[in-house]
Amino acid sequence: MLQAWLRETGKIVRGLRFRLTVSYVVILALLLVGIGVYFRVSLERLIEARTRELIEEEWRAVRGFVRMERGQATWTFDPRELDDASYVERLRRMILIADREGTVLEVSNGYRAFGVETPAEMRQILAGRMPQWKLKKDGRGSTLLLRYGVIRAASQPYLLVVGRTLTDNETLPSRFVGDYFRVLPLLLGLTLVLGWFMARRGLEPVNRVAATAQEVSSSTLHVRIPGRDSDDELDRLIDAFNKMMDRLSQGFEQVRRFSTDVSHELRTPLTSIRGQLEVALFTAKTKEQYRDAIVNALQDVDRLSSIVRALLLLSQSEAGHLVLKFLRLNLSETVREIVDQFQIPAEDAGVTLDAALPGEVWVDADRVQMERLVANLLSNAVKYTPRGGRIHVTLRALAGEPGDTVEMCFSDTGQGIPAESLPHIFERFYKVPGGDPEKGLGLGLSFVAWIVRAHLGKIEVESTVGEGTRFRVLLPASPEPGAGIPSLAGMGVEERRG
């Protein structure tokens, strides 16, 4: 029981809700403590400034009431005026008057309790002639603030000192801070409770995301979290999660389609191989019959090998393990060789294949991948162009383009690609709906797009159903011999120079 309680407590303590709540309370506590200290200091300064003003007023009042005659301090006021008498009585509670020799002419008992200055100290103050302020303490810890000044009578200087105790200055801020910090735990406790519930409410969308993520499986990829329409961080988190689910759903759908296509593509040649061998085993009687069965089986093995090679190449390119060997390549020569190789398949399909190629167009490229790029585009053109159609290939260097660019175009008069399929034709395993399922796995154009990206180029496609398709490939032209080309680091491609 104790262990279960400890586990649950530890789970709460490690939770984001607890940490957010504690952060609220700690930050608020530091802020409130700082405010309390600031107000105490400000209050002390305010009271001290006000006390100085009062002492200054009293010093001037004493100067108005006192007359120095024959070395004596005489207070001049009408005793019948009760207000004046009372005011003078208050003024004389904390006062000292001395002559220029430091002889005390008048001192109040309250002042005497804090200690009277020596004659030497008084003479020094008189010599300075400027007003001075000083703090004194008595044996009980009380503090006295004094204002020293010089008054003159019959050309003789006299020392006048007026003071006030700072008991209220010390006790009032202390009482304020004491009351403030006695209320502070209650405020922090209330903040803790409110912060706990506010954190739960604030983290509710995060918990929904977590709960939804736990429910995700191949059969629940349709699950989405509704937005809160507040355009805040949590809405962005929900949006990111929903987009991730969209990508996962698309990925699972692609894998499902790929698995179906692969199983079909592999099953067909395997079934054919098995059938040919069984026929040869049970019915063949002559050498020619065995030979025919073996030839047919080998043709199916070649088809099976092509599928496996395509899948292996796809895996290597996606994992970034496909090594490219960059050389300064005459692309015109490479394209011409591939076009010549496709003349026979084009004639068999009843399609005219021609090319307009200059003598030399140089690029820094991997020759094998360039050949694969051209071959894939030509293969698609031959497959999807009906008899009597035409395929035209052009290659040229574009002048005036930023960074010098080489353009390859592959145009055909084939069946075309629907507009809704154009954004997807370079995706892995994508095949145009309604197309012939026997015409490949939908990997060729994805390889083409990868090869173009690996060479820092771009590919564009234009197509009209029933009229034909045009692929346009743009590649960086080769710089002068010996110059470098942009790095391919970060693209999953290993760069090698020849």
Side-chain angles (χ1 to χ4, degrees):
M1 187 71 178
L2 179 61
Q3 291 180 347
W5 180 82
L6 289 175
R7 283 197 301 270
E8 188 65 25
T9 303
K11 185 177 179 181
I12 293 175
V13 170
R14 291 191 299 270
L16 181 58
R17 181 183 177 187
F18 177 82
R19 285 181 286 168
L20 284 175
T21 304
V22 171
S23 299
Y24 296 154
V25 174
V26 170
I27 292 173
L28 181 62
L30 294 175
L31 182 62
L32 292 178
V33 168
I35 291 174
V37 172
Y38 170 78
F39 275 112
R40 171 168 184 156
V41 173
S42 299
L43 186 59
E44 288 176 344
R45 290 177 178 175
L46 181 63
I47 294 175
E48 181 179 344
R50 180 56 182 162
T51 303
R52 285 176 178 262
E53 291 176 2
L54 292 174
I55 292 174
E56 190 71 38
E57 292 175 2
E58 291 177 353
W59 191 91
R60 291 194 179 94
V62 171
R63 183 178 179 181
F65 281 109
V66 171
R67 296 289 182 269
M68 306 304 300
E69 299 175 351
R70 294 187 296 274
Q72 297 294 325
T74 303
W75 292 82
T76 58
F77 65 95
D78 188 353
R80 291 173 297 178
E81 293 289 339
L82 297 181
D83 289 341
D84 287 351
S86 175
Y87 186 48
V88 169
E89 183 64 25
R90 289 199 305 271
L91 293 176
R92 300 180 73 174
R93 289 177 184 173
M94 195 66 67
I95 191 173
L96 179 143
I97 302 175
D99 62 15
R100 65 179 182 179
E101 299 299 331
T103 301
V104 176
L105 303 180
E106 182 178 342
V107 62
S108 62
N109 291 331
Y111 192 104
R112 197 183 301 275
F114 285 87
V116 177
E117 287 80 1
T118 64
E121 291 174 336
M122 294 182 191
R123 290 194 296 270
Q124 185 178 2
I125 295 171
L126 283 167
R129 296 184 180 181
M130 297 298 294
Q132 297 183 27
W133 295 86
K134 185 177 179 182
L135 290 173
K136 278 188 177 182
K137 288 186 176 293
D138 64 4
R140 295 173 297 180
S142 297
T143 303
L144 178 66
L145 178 60
L146 299 171
R147 197 274 194 193
Y148 298 81
V150 178
I151 60 176
R152 290 186 174 276
S155 301
Q156 298 295 322
Y158 294 88
L159 177 64
L160 172 59
V161 186
V162 177
R164 269 180 174 261
T165 58
L166 300 180
T167 304
D168 290 340
N169 296 47
E170 296 170 346
T171 58
L172 183 59
S174 297
R175 287 202 304 270
F176 167 77
V177 172
D179 293 340
Y180 180 83
F181 281 100
R182 277 191 291 272
V183 176
L184 187 59
L186 179 62
L187 294 176
L188 294 179
L190 182 62
T191 302
L192 181 65
V193 175
L194 293 177
W196 181 256
F197 287 103
M198 289 175 64
R200 183 183 68 177
R201 182 175 180 180
L203 292 173
E204 184 177 349
V206 180
N207 292 329
R208 289 206 308 270
V209 171
T212 304
Q214 291 178 348
E215 297 174 0
V216 170
S217 66
S218 59
S219 60
T220 58
L221 292 176
H222 62 281
V223 175
R224 300 294 183 273
I225 300 175
R228 299 160 59 246
D229 296 327
S230 57
D231 195 27
D232 57 7
E233 290 81 357
L234 292 176
D235 259 359
R236 288 193 285 274
L237 172 63
I238 292 173
D239 184 60
F241 177 84
N242 289 337
K243 289 181 178 178
M244 179 194 71
M245 293 298 296
D246 291 339
R247 292 192 297 271
L248 286 176
S249 180
Q250 293 173 2
F252 270 93
E253 179 61 23
Q254 287 180 346
V255 170
R256 186 192 65 77
R257 290 200 311 266
F258 174 69
S259 299
T260 302
D261 292 340
V262 168
S263 63
H264 173 75
E265 292 292 334
L266 294 181
R267 182 172 62 249
T268 300
L270 287 174
T271 302
S272 179
I273 293 171
R274 181 184 179 89
Q276 294 292 341
L277 295 178
E278 286 179 347
V279 168
L281 180 63
F282 295 113
T283 65
K285 299 186 183 328
T286 65
K287 181 187 296 187
E288 288 72 16
Q289 291 176 329
Y290 280 110
R291 182 181 180 85
D292 291 341
I294 293 173
V295 169
N296 292 332
L298 286 175
Q299 291 175 348
D300 289 324
V301 168
D302 288 340
R303 182 182 176 190
L304 188 60
S305 298
S306 298
I307 296 172
V308 172
R309 282 196 302 271
L311 294 177
L312 178 60
L313 189 60
L314 173 65
S315 175
Q316 289 176 335
S317 64
E318 288 181 337
H321 297 157
L322 191 60
V323 177
L324 299 185
K325 185 177 180 181
F326 283 82
L327 300 169
R328 192 163 186 266
L329 178 69
N330 184 356
L331 189 58
S332 182
E333 179 182 322
T334 301
V335 174
R336 184 177 291 107
E337 291 177 359
I338 303 301
V339 169
D340 290 342
Q341 294 175 13
F342 271 83
Q343 288 295 343
I344 294 177
E347 291 176 4
D348 292 341
V351 175
T352 301
L353 172 60
D354 57 44
L357 306 175
E360 293 183 352
V361 174
W362 295 93
V363 294
D364 279 303
D366 183 292
R367 182 183 182 90
V368 173
Q369 300 306 325
M370 281 294 106
E371 291 175 349
R372 179 174 284 116
L373 182 151
V374 176
N376 278 335
L377 291 176
L378 286 178
S379 175
N380 274 357
V382 171
K383 285 179 186 177
Y384 296 104
T385 301
R387 301 186 71 84
R390 179 172 179 261
I391 301 171
H392 184 59
V393 181
T394 62
L395 175 67
R396 60 174 178 160
L398 298 181
E401 291 283 334
D404 291 339
T405 305
V406 172
E407 178 194 66
M408 280 192 296
C409 290
F410 300 81
S411 304
D412 63 60
T413 58
Q415 63 191 46
I417 303 170
E420 62 272 14
S421 295
L422 285 177
H424 307 288
I425 61 172
F426 295 111
E427 296 176 2
R428 307 295 191 192
F429 323 123
Y430 183 82
K431 292 198 288 189
V432 175
D436 187 351
E438 297 297 326
K439 291 185 178 180
L441 287 172
L443 300 177
L445 289 180
S446 62
F447 279 127
V448 168
W450 176 83
I451 294 169
V452 171
R453 287 196 304 270
H455 287 78
L456 304 180
K458 65 178 181 178
I459 184 169
E460 302 169 353
V461 59
E462 300 172 358
S463 185
T464 302
V465 175
E467 295 184 8
T469 303
R470 178 176 180 265
F471 286 90
R472 181 173 183 252
V473 178
L474 299 174
L475 298 172
S478 174
E480 293 299 321
I485 64 170
S487 173
L488 297 177
M491 298 190 61
V493 180
E494 180 178 337
E495 181 177 351
R496 288 186 180 178
R497 300 283 179 183

